[in-house]
Amino acid sequence: QLQASGGGLVQAGGSLRLSCAASGRTFSSYAMGWFRQAPGKEREFVAVISWSGGVTYYADSVKGRFTISRDVAKNTAYLQMNSLKPEDTAVYFCAAGTGVYYSGSSYNYWGQGTQVTVSS
């Protein structure tokens, strides 16, 4: 199971750090991804990190502002979000998959989501 946390309400320009804690099994051999879904919009890819942590990819909309990382010992992945914008407002989901993918359909496990709201 994956448990996402760390969301909240923040002003534009602020920062949040999301966590995705895994339990029940180890996800050390899985890539970890973050996706988000805003009201009335489709789920979109945000970032992904390989099982080793050596490869990361970001959506163009968050590149340079967000940083994905993972702590294998803690079985946890993180998404550090800086310089937040109102358009970053969404429910953020973490997911685990067997490879570094942009498509959510390629991920095997999903967390329940955490709400991020950025006020202008």
Side-chain angles (χ1 to χ4, degrees):
Q1 289 185 339
L2 300 175
Q3 180 79 30
S5 62
L9 174 64
V10 64
Q11 288 189 331
S15 299
L16 284 174
R17 189 177 81 154
L18 305 184
S19 298
C20 177
S23 62
R25 63 174 295 158
T26 179
F27 287 91
S28 60
S29 62
Y30 284 76
M32 300 296 294
W34 286 95
F35 292 77
R36 66 186 182 186
Q37 187 167 19
K41 294 187 177 181
E42 293 185 353
R43 182 180 62 195
E44 65 174 355
F45 167 81
V46 175
V48 61
I49 186 168
S50 63
W51 67 269
S52 67
V55 177
T56 58
Y57 291 110
Y58 297 90
D60 288 342
S61 58
V62 307
K63 201 172 295 181
R65 299 188 297 122
F66 291 10
T67 302
I68 189 171
S69 61
R70 67 188 302 166
D71 186 329
V72 173
K74 295 183 177 179
N75 218 14
T76 300
Y78 304 96
L79 185 68
Q80 177 67 43
M81 305 186 296
N82 299 328
S83 302
L84 283 162
K85 304 175 181 180
E87 51 263 44
D88 294 318
T89 295
V91 177
Y92 283 71
F93 300 88
C94 61
T98 56
V100 176
Y101 302 115
Y102 295 102
S103 172
S105 61
S106 298
Y107 288 76
N108 307 92
Y109 302 92
W110 288 85
Q112 87 291 358
T114 184
Q115 176 70 48
V116 172
T117 303
V118 184
S119 63
S120 57

